[in-house]
Amino acid sequence: MLQPVGLKMEFWAEVVQTTMYLINLSPSKAIKLQVLHALWLGTHLNYDRLRIFGCEAYAHISREKRT
């Protein structure tokens, strides 16, 4: 995951965390193709917030907190 987006090895922990997050959002054969995250929280999933790993992102700082 690091190589295609040109990130250094120092970001390996983010790769592991992202991988585990995606596994928890994926259907599992062990639980009859249900999604662990949805079972744990008892909610429906929304995949709209998923982005490509390594894509450009910006932090939003509200006008009141900007200096």
Side-chain angles (χ1 to χ4, degrees):
M1 285 176 72
L2 293 173
Q3 232 174 16
V5 295
L7 292 174
K8 297 178 183 176
M9 283 300 293
E10 62 193 50
F11 292 102
W12 69 270
E14 283 74 15
V15 169
V16 172
Q17 185 177 18
T18 301
T19 302
M20 294 310 303
Y21 181 71
L22 292 173
I23 287 171
N24 288 334
L25 290 179
S26 301
S28 174
K29 192 174 180 181
I31 52 177
K32 300 177 184 174
L33 295 179
Q34 293 183 327
V35 178
L36 181 62
H37 189 273
L39 285 175
W40 184 263
L41 297 177
T43 61
H44 294 286
L45 289 176
N46 184 351
Y47 295 102
D48 291 342
R49 296 182 65 191
L50 292 180
R51 300 290 181 261
I52 296 172
F53 185 83
C55 71
E56 198 169 301
Y58 301 93
H60 175 73
I61 301 171
S62 64
R63 289 183 191 253
E64 298 82 34
K65 294 183 179 179
R66 295 181 202 169
T67 58

